[in-house]
Amino acid sequence: MADISQDEIVHIAKLAMLNLTESEIEGYTKDMKDILAYAEMINRLDTDNIDETIGATEQKNVFRKDEIVNFENRELLLQNAPSQDEGMFRIPKVIQ
Amino acid sequence: MQCGSSTETSSLFKTHNPWDLSRVPGGSSGGSAAAVSADMAPWALGSDTGGSIRQPASLCGIVGLKPTYGLVSRFGLIAYASSLDQIGPLTKDVTDSAMLLNLIAGYDEKDTTSMDMPKKDYTLSLVNDVKGMKIGVPKEYLGEGTSAEVKEAMMKVVKKYQELGATVEECSLDVGQYASAVYYIIACAEASSNLGRFDGIRYGYRTENFENLKDIYKNSRSEGFGAEVKRRIILGTYVLSSGYYDAYYKKAQKVRTLIKNAYNELFEKYDLLLTPTSPTTAFKIGEKMNNPLQMYMADICTVPVNIGGLPGMNVPCELDANGLPIGFQLIAKPFAEETIFRAAYTYEQNTNFRAEHRPTFKG
């Protein structure tokens, strides 16, 4: 199962929105083969009737009240903007 | 953004180990550990997903604590693997660690995984006494992958605890051998999802080279992420992709349950588990760069603790023949940090690592 091809790496990179160079494709294909061959060891364990652990704690459905809290410090928020204009986030045009 | 056990793939600069500048400080909180070790900072915070506080603490000869999952809020931390990430203190000694944990522990409505429970004063656990304490030493962590000098140092720690009145005996965590495989599947899966937000629009680096929306996504991510981060995104995307989800991701989550169960059984018998923190001392910069799998093995003693959501601490104990620090790891059941503080403090008070050894900045 760990026999992963360069085509598969190209497909996975496309799903992950990454451009890879030829040498990266080659390198990552080899790395994935090695890592997955190692990870295969978990198949030696019998996990029939074992539940999956989804989180580290047993907590479920942590809710908060659906209340609006205004955040007044506009300057502080805009500090995170890579680009800003007249108190607003400036972003590239994303609709053609 | 940085991940890996050496701090060589940092997006900023390489960090060097203060005990030998030709060696790595460990990682991924290697910068924090090196700064505290070199007296550039009185303490630091690190984040630990698979050992990133404890392993660099060990390689740099300081105290590093990964608290129980849920004890410290991660609000403000860039999420890497959300079911494993935890923030904790890197300090020069155990007392500082308890004082810093007092400040950062507790419920935060901005992190829904932080537990709503009464605050504790961890400095009350700084008691110089381990009489009657039961410590288990899982034999699997003293096997062939662990260097002879690290094993020898562990035996001395065992002897010290016995002299101080604790009961120390060998035990087994057989299923622990699967922890690294489980870790890399789960952590990379979660990371590939978490890092999806770095699209060049909402978070992080934005490319200057684009003509349409897809270019912004792809070029920002490809230019902004380092080699190790890309490797983990590819692995994570692969194990979550249709056709492989059940075989890798779901299977790993089931094995995670088996590992948690094995810990639960051990903690019915023992107050603490004792292992090396790292199977070797600091390796040379560049030594493991081209072999990701070998690099991942540097986390073999620390990763199982994150899989279990348990607290674990590195305590420095010896130097090897090259003058590099060796540390041991104490592991307790969830929210039993007090037991760790008590045992670590007792060891520290009855030994002299910090008084006798300081970084030399050689190399």
Side-chain angles (χ1 to χ4, degrees), chain B residues 203-272:
Chain B
Y203 288 91
Y205 171 85
R206 180 183 301 159
T207 183
E208 285 172 8
N209 160 32
F210 64 89
E211 278 172 15
N212 56 46
L213 182 60
K214 216 161 195 181
D215 283 354
I216 298 181
Y217 292 163
K218 285 190 128 179
N219 295 345
S220 298
R221 291 168 63 77
S222 305
E223 292 163 24
F225 291 140
E228 181 59 26
V229 175
K230 284 184 200 168
R231 187 181 287 125
R232 292 184 187 206
I233 290 174
I234 290 170
L235 178 61
T237 306
Y238 182 79
V239 299
L240 289 176
S241 65
S242 116
Y244 300 104
Y245 181 91
D246 284 357
Y248 291 107
Y249 185 60
K250 202 167 174 184
K251 179 79 183 182
Q253 287 182 311
K254 289 184 172 183
V255 177
R256 185 174 184 180
T257 305
L258 294 178
I259 295 169
K260 286 182 88 167
N261 292 348
Y263 273 121
N264 287 342
E265 270 177 42
L266 284 174
F267 285 120
E268 277 172 22
K269 204 168 167 195
Y270 302 108
D271 300 303
L272 289 171

Side-chain angles (χ1 to χ4, degrees), chain A residues 4 8 16-17 19 24 28 31-32 36 38 40-42 45 47 50-53 56 59 92 94, chain B residues 69 83 112 178 180 206 213 219 221-222 227 230-231 234 238 244 248 250-251 253-254 257 260 297:
Chain A
I4 182 166
E8 273 183 290
M17 290 281 173
N19 300 316
E24 280 178 319
Y28 287 133
D31 292 347
M32 289 309 122
L36 292 171
Y38 173 76
E40 292 286 320
M41 68 150 76
I42 59 174
L45 288 171
T47 51
I50 301 291
D51 288 336
E52 294 129 62
T53 294
Q59 283 175 301
V94 292
Chain B
Y69 186 90
S83 79
T112 54
Y178 300 96
S180 287
R206 180 183 301 159
L213 182 60
N219 295 345
R221 291 168 63 77
S222 305
K230 284 184 200 168
R231 187 181 287 125
I234 290 170
Y238 182 79
Y244 300 104
Y248 291 107
K250 202 167 174 184
K251 179 79 183 182
Q253 287 182 311
K254 289 184 172 183
T257 305
K260 286 182 88 167
M297 293 300 105

